[in-house]
Every structure is written in structure tokens, then in C-alpha cells.
Amino acid sequence: MTYALPPLNALRAFEAAARHLSFKLAAHELHVTPAAVGQQVKALEARLGVQLFERLHKQLILTVAGQAYLPGVSEGFRHIAEATSQLKPAGAVLLQLGVHGSFDLRRLELAAFRSAHAEIGLRVLHPAGLHELVEGKVDLLIARGLSHHPGYRCDRIDEGSGLGDWLVAPEGTADCPEIVGFRAWLRALPAKNALTNRHRPRLVGVSGS
């Protein structure tokens, strides 16, 4: 069966904006700009041929069509979230890590991390970039040269004054236990073997919005 669906990113933008009745708050939740949310909603309205919001001065109101559409869209996302949660390793919180293409994964000692943190189901997308983080395909990202980005916490994981490698996570989830655990793992790696410190990641700086 082929489902006739609008673009999922546009549905996400509509659903978040409808819950918050705010493009700004929806943008914060989705880690994009308010303008991007507005454009996605406008594209969805054009695709559906109906107006979903009344855009008043400093106020967003659902139209009758928007009110009718919201429950079904929200329920659909709930079903997807529940189905996805069933895929998580038993007893584990799923953490999806993105890593830029030129990074040597051996530096992270991921097998040892998984052994030491059985409560975290770690999955790695390599290569990955900011696009995957913004789109929610990964929960945090090791990026090259991304020392600052609005709405994200950026921790440098190597020494030096060049572009460097940075651990990037949305500010809203940067202090979640699984992300804190992985950040602590990076911070502890240099202490494990002083002879190879120059090859190990090290958190040496933090940059926020």
C-alpha cells in the first residue's frame, strides 16, 4: 500500500507549531529557525490546499481545518515514536552519535564504551554532519570546525588553535544522562594512557549560543 503523505518535515513543523501556537517555540523544539518552521507550514498549506493557521499580530491561532488536522497528525507521530522505542536495545537508552567523515572512530574506543555503559544503546552514523543533527537523525555530533552554532552546545575534543573537532548537542538535550555519559567518556580518555594522549580526544573548551 502506498500512503499519500505530505513531507514529514512539514508535518513535524505543523504539529509542533500547533501544540505551542508559536513558530518560535516550535523552532526551539525542532532546532531550526522560526522562519524555517513558517516556510514548512506555508508549504504544507499549499500542498493541502487549506489554511491551517490564522497569523495575527504576535499570535498564532489554529483554523477549523487546523484543529481538525492536529489530533490525527499528533497520534501518527505518537505511533511512530512508540514503534521506534521498541527497537531500542533491552534496558538501554538509545544514543545516536554522528561523526564527520574524516574522523578516525578508533580514537573513541567505542567497544569499551559499550562495555562500560550497558545502559546506553550506542549507534553510530559515519559520516554525518550538521544536517543530520538538525533533522534529528542523530542525537549528538562530532563535527569538524563547528565551534559555535545557535541553539547548540559545542565542546572541543582536541587541542590546538585550528578548526578542531567538536562534540555538538542541542542545548535542550545536552545535559541528558546518556549525552553527559558520552561527554564524560571523551573527557576521561586522555587519562587512560598518558603515552598516547596526543592521539586521544580531549574536551578542552565549551561554546554556547
Side-chain angles (χ1 to χ4, degrees):
M1 178 180 179
T2 300
Y3 294 97
L5 295 175
L8 292 182
N9 283 340
L11 288 176
R12 289 181 70 203
F14 162 71
E15 197 273 341
R19 278 190 286 106
H20 294 293
L21 290 179
S22 166
F23 287 162
K24 182 178 180 180
L25 293 178
H28 181 75
E29 176 181 321
L30 299 176
H31 310 297
V32 297
T33 65
V37 173
Q39 289 169 2
Q40 290 279 12
V41 171
K42 185 176 181 180
L44 179 61
E45 290 175 323
R47 175 76 173 264
L48 298 176
V50 297
Q51 186 175 350
L52 299 171
F53 291 101
E54 291 284 351
R55 296 158 175 83
L56 306 179
H57 180 62
K58 295 185 178 180
Q59 188 177 12
L60 199 63
I61 299 175
L62 280 166
T63 63
V64 173
Q67 293 174 26
Y69 197 38
L70 177 60
V73 173
S74 295
E75 184 67 17
F77 281 124
R78 278 195 293 271
H79 284 307
I80 293 171
E82 289 170 3
T84 302
S85 70
Q86 301 304 314
L87 300 178
K88 293 181 180 180
V93 174
L94 180 61
L95 178 63
Q96 300 184 104
L97 170 68
V99 183
H100 72 81
S102 61
F103 192 90
D104 185 354
L105 292 179
R106 292 174 295 180
R107 294 172 58 190
L108 301 177
E109 299 186 6
L110 295 179
F113 175 83
R114 290 185 174 101
S115 296
H117 297 273
E119 77 284 2
I120 299 176
L122 179 66
R123 294 178 180 171
V124 179
L125 180 62
H126 181 243
L130 183 62
H131 177 76
E132 283 75 18
L133 184 63
V134 171
E135 290 292 317
K137 296 178 181 178
V138 297
D139 302 305
L140 71 167
L141 173 71
I142 293 178
R144 182 69 173 169
L146 190 65
S147 61
H148 175 79
H149 195 76
Y152 292 83
R153 170 173 169 169
C154 302
D155 298 274
R156 186 158 186 163
I157 62 175
D158 59 357
E159 297 179 337
S161 58
L163 291 176
D165 296 318
W166 297 75
L167 184 68
V168 185
E171 288 183 345
T173 57
D175 292 322
C176 289
E178 59 272 21
I179 293 180
V180 169
F182 188 79
R183 188 182 298 120
W185 175 260
L186 290 182
R187 187 175 289 116
L189 278 177
K192 289 188 175 184
N193 190 340
L195 295 177
T196 57
N197 273 357
R198 67 182 182 276
H199 301 302
R200 308 287 191 179
R202 181 180 178 190
L203 292 180
V204 296
V206 177
S207 176
S209 61

